[in-house]
Amino acid sequence: MTLHDRLTELDQIKESARQGPDPAATERQHARGKLTAQERVELLLDEGSFTEVESLRRHRATGFGLERRRPHSDGVVTGWGTVHGRTVFVYAHDFRIFGGALGEAHAEKIHKLMDLAEAAGAPLVSLNDGAGARIQEGVSALAGYGGIFRRNTRASGVIPQISVMLGPCAGGAAYSPALTDFVFMVRETSQMFITGPDVVQAVTGEEISQNGLGGADVHAATSGVAHFAYDDEESCLEDIRFLLTLLPSNNRELPPAAPCDDPADRRTDALLQLVPHDPNRAYDMRAVVEEIVDDGEVFEVQQAWATNVVCALARLDGHVVGIVANQPASFAGVLDIRASEKAARFVQFCDAFNIPLVTLVDVPGFLPGVDQEHGGIIRHGAKLLYAYCNATVPRVQLILRKAYGGAYIVMDSRSIGADLSLAWPTNEIAVMGAEGAANVVFRREIAAADDPEAVRQQKIKEYKSELMHPYYAAERGLVDDVIDPRDTRSALIRSLTMLRSKHADLPSRKHGNPPM
């Protein structure tokens, strides 16, 4: 064969690999409302930027008819491209080939790509649509998953890792997404579970559908496994592109800054109406965050899970920040098991990737109750405490209204290492609310009084005036400044600008032993 013939042959082989072994398989994929692996990669990356590696890889397994089915790519597309001009590595399971099941060659392709992503210091996005381990290859397939898990763990906190669930993900395969930074899911077409509905019914007698067991909304609102849920693949992939604009390529870089037309000294007058002066009245903390950040643009993480705390990425004066905020509109903004876990993971992520933290505090305490205590609120609450204490990025706390008890300490108080603590004149920082405090401190006097309720009200007023006035913490250096709410945006930007060059070292150690 001449060189021209070889080139023609090469083009034909690569086009065949792209089209898949069977045109009907592509039609079936589209009929399910799903895109092909190549179509997904093209949507994710900048047009024409994708460079594929090992497109001609084929498995070498024998037995069970595998030796007669050796399609190119072996069911996974791997390579790199750009998102808004920045390098991103991606692998995508091709459900048209072996149902996207992972075999030895399939796994080795993923291992190579993960190693390249770590070496190049660039984000890794996995587009998951596979039937789990390739049963015909036995333990070799299981070992392939082990290699992925090990690399997920090694790259944790080194490069951003994003898992996108676009089809089934069952059994041990689900642990790779669980090890990554963010999990995206698409409603109706993606599911994640360790044991499927048939096994659940056989063992427990419970009948449930695949989506009811491990669908997008289940994991976004009930289990907390998924950070985002979408109605279609296109909007899902578009939001991943946006998320990548907020993240550094690796842990040695700062998040990319962006031009900002929103004035740094813009007055936030709307906050006077958004936040009620009465500490017992609810409001939506999201509206507060939107008023403060650049152009009101907020990318909230796990919006449907643990709704009593808000975790979001945004920009202040063009620079990315991570925002953790109590949500008075949900359970009065108390901290509980789920909220503690959600915020702790987010704080750890921001600290790993050099994203400054802004903590907005309006918290009445930890949620009381037998279920919380037996569920381990002490251990779970300590996760958030540990995450903040361990964080070395710039940290600014802002107290809007209530900040009571241990929850005040945990929400990045000065005593656990916040660089600056600001407060509004409506702040109430205390061991507990005045009503509860008066009942404890003055219980004998109240009980002995001729008019217990009148004495109780007098003691509440006395406690507030002596220990809960808005300048009490500032007088003791636990709040750096009490600010006009209308100056919130400018005060935060000035503080973070000053802290941009912050450097802090942790003690030399292999690693800490955080509560798990």
Side-chain angles (χ1 to χ4, degrees), residues 336-337 366-378 380:
D336 61 4
I337 288 173
F366 281 94
L367 181 65
V370 174
D371 287 346
Q372 289 290 306
E373 295 295 346
H374 289 186
I377 184 62
I378 296 171
H380 293 287

Side-chain angles (χ1 to χ4, degrees), residues 72-89:
H72 292 291
S73 85
D74 200 48
V76 63
V77 176
T78 57
W80 72 88
T82 60
V83 172
H84 298 292
R86 298 166 64 220
T87 299
V88 173
F89 287 78

Side-chain angles (χ1 to χ4, degrees), residues 256-270:
C260 179
D261 296 326
D262 193 346
D265 59 355
R266 171 172 58 82
R267 297 269 279 179
T268 49
D269 297 84

Side-chain angles (χ1 to χ4, degrees), residues 59 61-70 98 136:
H59 73 76
T62 59
F64 305 101
L66 284 178
E67 63 274 9
R68 297 187 297 274
R69 298 178 60 198
R70 299 182 62 235
F98 298 121
Q136 301 94 319

Side-chain angles (χ1 to χ4, degrees), residues 87-385:
T87 299
V88 173
F89 287 78
V90 59
Y91 68 86
H93 299 295
D94 191 340
F95 196 82
R96 300 172 302 172
I97 299 174
F98 298 121
L102 182 138
E104 184 178 24
H106 182 123
E108 288 175 353
K109 288 182 64 174
I110 296 174
H111 296 168
K112 177 183 285 188
L113 190 82
M114 296 178 78
D115 292 341
L116 282 172
E118 184 181 349
L124 173 68
V125 179
S126 62
L127 305 179
N128 297 273
D129 185 7
R134 197 173 298 170
I135 298 172
Q136 301 94 319
E137 295 195 31
V139 72
S140 296
L142 297 179
Y145 273 121
I148 293 173
F149 303 158
R150 179 165 57 87
R151 287 169 174 83
N152 284 140
T153 303
R154 190 175 66 193
S156 180
V158 178
I159 56 172
Q161 299 181 80
I162 298 172
S163 296
V164 192
M165 315 314 296
L166 302 168
C169 184
Y175 283 114
S176 177
L179 290 168
T180 60
D181 299 306
F182 296 106
V183 176
F184 288 71
M185 294 189 74
V186 175
R187 295 181 177 94
E188 301 304 324
T189 58
S190 66
Q191 303 89 26
M192 297 173 66
F193 36 69
I194 299 301
T195 54
D198 293 340
V199 176
V200 169
Q201 184 176 5
V203 175
T204 70
E206 299 169 289
E207 291 187 27
I208 193 167
S209 66
Q210 287 196 350
N211 280 319
L213 182 63
D217 288 322
V218 168
H219 285 310
T222 304
S223 72
V225 170
H227 299 78
F228 308 95
Y230 297 85
D231 291 328
D232 56 78
E233 295 187 16
E234 290 82 0
S235 59
C236 175
L237 294 169
E238 184 58 36
D239 260 11
I240 294 166
R241 286 176 57 85
F242 178 69
L243 172 59
L244 288 167
T245 68
L246 299 171
L247 305 180
S249 292
N250 55 67
N251 64 342
R252 300 183 302 276
E253 298 180 4
L254 295 175
C260 179
D261 296 326
D262 193 346
D265 59 355
R266 171 172 58 82
R267 297 269 279 179
T268 49
D269 297 84
L271 295 180
L272 298 182
Q273 283 72 49
L274 288 173
V275 182
H277 180 70
D278 180 354
N280 295 318
R281 284 185 58 195
Y283 62 94
D284 189 351
M285 183 63 83
R286 292 190 187 93
V288 174
V289 175
E290 290 170 1
E291 176 64 18
I292 294 170
V293 303
D294 293 354
D295 303 312
E297 193 168 51
V298 179
F299 195 73
E300 187 173 353
V301 177
Q302 292 182 303
Q303 182 175 348
W305 187 67
T307 54
N308 40 329
V309 68
V310 173
C311 297
L313 294 168
R315 292 184 186 272
L316 282 170
D317 198 28
H319 295 273
V320 179
V321 295
I323 295 173
V324 179
N326 305 114
Q327 174 57 292
S330 177
F331 301 105
V334 296
L335 286 178
D336 61 4
I337 288 173
R338 289 185 171 188
S340 298
E341 286 190 337
K342 172 179 170 178
R345 185 81 193 283
F346 184 73
V347 167
Q348 287 184 154
F349 173 81
C350 290
D351 185 53
F353 291 105
N354 308 311
I355 299 173
L357 288 161
V358 174
T359 304
L360 306 181
V361 183
D362 192 345
V363 61
F366 281 94
L367 181 65
V370 174
D371 287 346
Q372 289 290 306
E373 295 295 346
H374 289 186
I377 184 62
I378 296 171
R379 175 167 50 86
H380 293 287
K383 294 178 183 179
L384 180 55
L385 181 61

